[in-house]
Amino acid sequence: MGLFGNKKKAEDCAATEATLSDGTTIAVARSVDCIGDSCPRPQLMTKKAVKEIGSGEVVEVLVDNPSSVEALPPMCDEMGAVHVETIQAPRCWKVYIRKD
């Protein structure tokens, strides 16, 4: 157990899909659950997940912290990734990031 207890880790989500607002369906290689986390944890977990996936694969980040939602898209350039879309869900935002 760490300083703040057992925390969720980035998890592989084999063969999961997400539908974007334009109706396009994308495959999600990894999902990162940052519900209840505040900055900088969502950013650090997202960077780690993007490092671990292959080129062209997509990470789905679940966040409920508005400042994290705003911080994730601008950091895509430094991660070698592209912000695909952010979708507001009932209890969180889903941020989709594709690795270049």
Side-chain angles (χ1 to χ4, degrees), residues 28-100:
V28 175
R30 179 156 302 195
S31 183
V32 181
D33 185 348
C34 295
I35 303 294
D37 294 334
S38 58
C39 296
R41 189 170 180 87
Q43 290 87 339
L44 296 173
M45 291 178 68
T46 300
K47 283 183 180 182
K48 181 180 178 191
V50 169
K51 275 185 178 177
E52 294 172 349
I53 63 171
S55 181
E57 292 185 318
V58 175
V59 171
E60 173 187 63
V61 186
L62 307 175
V63 291
D64 59 355
N65 181 322
S67 61
S68 293
V69 173
E70 293 174 6
L72 290 174
M75 65 184 239
C76 287
D77 284 340
E78 70 184 62
M79 293 188 299
V82 175
H83 173 245
V84 177
E85 185 170 16
T86 299
I87 298 173
Q88 188 165 10
R91 67 179 192 111
C92 65
W93 287 274
K94 296 179 179 183
V95 183
Y96 296 98
I97 296 173
R98 180 182 304 118
K99 186 172 184 176
D100 288 338

Side-chain angles (χ1 to χ4, degrees), residues 5-26:
N6 291 332
K7 238 1 211 170
K8 302 168 288 271
K9 294 182 180 179
E11 299 175 4
D12 287 319
C13 293
T16 62
E17 294 183 340
T19 303
L20 303 178
S21 61
D22 66 358
T24 306
T25 301
I26 58 172

